[in-house]
Amino acid sequence: MPVEESNFLTLTKHDPVFLHVKAGMTVIVSNPVNQAWCMADVLEVNKASHDTKTPLLFQVAEVDSGVISWINPERVTHIVPRL
């Protein structure tokens, strides 16, 4: 199956990954406490009322366990591309 180029994001060197996250995407979330990570589906992006480009929190559902939680956007390390 060919992979379309439109499925990938081009980020600049100083562009944080979380600025490109939208509801419906699958992301990799790091856990700084125990150095672990998990894959999660983004359910909702809660943005600041004064700056709609900067997200305050992401509501995610862990793919393996189904646990739903709110996370800090800076914990997102990667966006999983759709094929």
Side-chain angles (χ1 to χ4, degrees):
M1 174 187 307
V3 177
E4 295 181 20
E5 290 181 23
S6 62
N7 288 337
F8 298 98
L9 292 173
T10 303
L11 303 176
T12 63
K13 192 173 185 178
H14 302 288
D15 199 10
V17 174
F18 65 81
L19 291 179
H20 300 278
V21 174
K22 297 178 180 134
M25 290 182 161
T26 301
V27 296
I28 302 298
V29 179
S30 67
N31 186 341
V33 175
N34 61 3
Q35 304 294 318
W37 61 271
C38 70
M39 190 178 326
D41 293 326
V42 179
L43 303 176
E44 184 178 343
V45 177
N46 185 350
K47 297 186 178 184
S49 60
H50 64 279
D51 184 6
T52 59
K53 292 184 180 183
T54 306
L56 287 176
L57 293 170
F58 294 145
Q59 185 180 40
V60 298
E62 289 185 29
V63 173
D64 289 338
S65 65
V67 172
I68 297 174
S69 59
W70 288 94
I71 64 163
N72 182 328
E74 293 177 356
R75 289 183 51 197
V76 173
T77 60
H78 298 80
I79 297 173
V80 179
R82 291 182 184 218
L83 297 179

